[in-house]
Amino acid sequence: MGRHKIALIGAGNIGGTLAHLALTRDLGDVVLFDVVDGIPQGKALDLNQCGPIEAREGALKGTNDYADIAGADVCIVTAGVARKPGMSRDDLLGINLKVMKAVGEGIKAHAPNAFVICITNPLDAMVWALREFSGLPHNKVVGMAGVLDSARFRHFLAEEFGVAKQDVTAFVLGGHGDTMVPVVEYSTVAGIPIPDLIKMGWSTQERIDAIVQRTRSGGGEIVGLLKTGSAFYAPATSGIEMAEAYLKDQKRLLPCAAYLDGQYGQDGLYVGVPVIIGAGGVEKIVEIQLSGEAKANLQVSVDAVKELVAACQNIDESL
Ligand code: TXD
């Protein structure tokens, strides 16, 4: 079998970081696409010059031509505009919907067999729109948010408990936004659920509540600090984890924005839920039992996603 091909649509902060990660992890050859002339070519030249030092062979090409993504196994989409301070994810809706149309049509024409990972915000609406515009099967189009949101939650919990980050597992469900649902009872340190750790005196309910809140506004905290854009290292690392799960048929169980047709009582919508990713794309949607509170919070989150999708449909009547 030949080398895999990974197409990165959008050569901004996340796109450039994705390219570097894909090459250092030797996932395959990479094509970096952007509408701005010079940016993908310049980043590709810079990153190719890491090659001799990093002793890796993967080829990287920067381009403004969709024809170059032909036959890609994976497309990771970060094209669009990122949040500036004071801007909500929803403000991005109109601008990025047009971008999804162009990208969806590009993928449909040149890489219809790819596994597509959407990262562009507002995530849950953009992944839905990208799927509509591309016409690809629902199990081959997925959104990245939960892996990042749960990594943020795990990072804060590991700091709180003073344990290794790899020993903390965490679940975050729902839309990628202020209504996301970090599920405390399914979050553990090496299998010990957080409510038990509170009983053991490792933390208090108040402190955990504050961590949940900080996780929910985790993106905004970074936007406020950077002032010129949004987070990109952890978002790129999260996207690569999903791409790797597909390319290596790892059957990873990851929280992703996936298309629901009946699961969790939802129909025709992309929402963050646990899924299994392997060579078949989204191979299974895992329906876990949620407590009354988590269920109610998930519904609030789902309603927010529904509103965004309806707004997309108003903007573009072809949807
Ligand atoms: O968890 C998550 N899903 C996210 C999402 C976490 C962090 C950031 N998230 C969103 O990702 C963010 O709100 C943005 O919508 C995307 C990309 O973030 P990034 O930080 O990479 O943004 P940049 O640096 O502005 O890069 C965007 C690039 C830029 O080079 C534009 O020229 C390009 O997208 N762009 C396009 N490329 C291809 N095709 C079209 N039409 C296009 N329009 C702009």
Side-chain angles (χ1 to χ4, degrees), residues 12-14 34-36 78-82 99 119-121 144 148 176:
N13 280 334
I14 299 181
D34 204 287
V35 282
V36 179
T78 60
V81 172
V99 175
I119 298 186
T120 303
N121 269 331
M144 189 295 290
L148 171 65
H176 180 56

Side-chain angles (χ1 to χ4, degrees), residues 93-103 126 133 315-316:
L93 193 72
I95 306 170
N96 286 351
L97 188 61
K98 282 203 193 81
V99 175
M100 288 307 104
K101 185 166 193 165
V103 175
M126 290 304 105
F133 290 129
I315 297 170
D316 190 320

Side-chain angles (χ1 to χ4, degrees), residues 57-78:
E57 299 306 323
L60 170 60
K61 177 174 185 176
T63 184
N64 308 114
D65 184 356
Y66 269 110
D68 286 322
I69 74 164
D73 300 289
V74 169
C75 293
I76 309 182
V77 178
T78 60

Side-chain angles (χ1 to χ4, degrees), residues 179-231:
T179 58
M180 75 175 82
V181 187
V183 185
V184 170
E185 57 270 37
Y186 276 102
S187 304
T188 77
V189 172
I192 310 167
I194 291 180
D196 290 7
L197 292 165
I198 294 174
K199 281 185 206 139
M200 288 155 61
W202 280 39
S203 185
T204 61
Q205 189 61 52
E206 293 67 42
R207 290 177 69 88
I208 297 297
D209 288 347
I211 288 174
V212 165
Q213 197 41 50
R214 191 172 178 198
T215 302
R216 282 203 176 115
S217 45
E221 184 177 354
I222 293 176
V223 171
L225 289 166
L226 294 179
K227 297 183 184 71
T228 53
S230 52

Side-chain angles (χ1 to χ4, degrees), residues 245-260:
Y246 171 77
L247 291 170
K248 297 186 177 170
D249 191 21
Q250 287 172 332
K251 317 283 186 205
R252 295 287 311 274
L253 201 161
L254 299 170
C256 302
Y259 185 78
L260 302 183

Side-chain angles (χ1 to χ4, degrees), residues 7-92:
L8 307 173
I9 317 292
N13 280 334
I14 299 181
T17 312
L18 282 168
H20 198 191
L21 287 170
L23 292 169
T24 50
R25 294 194 188 189
D26 206 19
L27 293 186
D29 295 332
V30 179
V31 174
L32 187 57
F33 173 95
D34 204 287
V35 282
V36 179
D37 180 35
I39 296 281
Q41 292 85 354
K43 288 198 178 184
L45 187 56
D46 187 8
L47 284 164
N48 275 326
Q49 291 167 357
C50 298
I53 306 163
E54 291 172 345
R56 53 164 166 83
E57 299 306 323
L60 170 60
K61 177 174 185 176
T63 184
N64 308 114
D65 184 356
Y66 269 110
D68 286 322
I69 74 164
D73 300 289
V74 169
C75 293
I76 309 182
V77 178
T78 60
V81 172
R83 272 201 292 172
K84 306 275 176 326
M87 216 174 157
S88 79
R89 289 189 180 90
D90 304 355
D91 293 335
L92 298 177

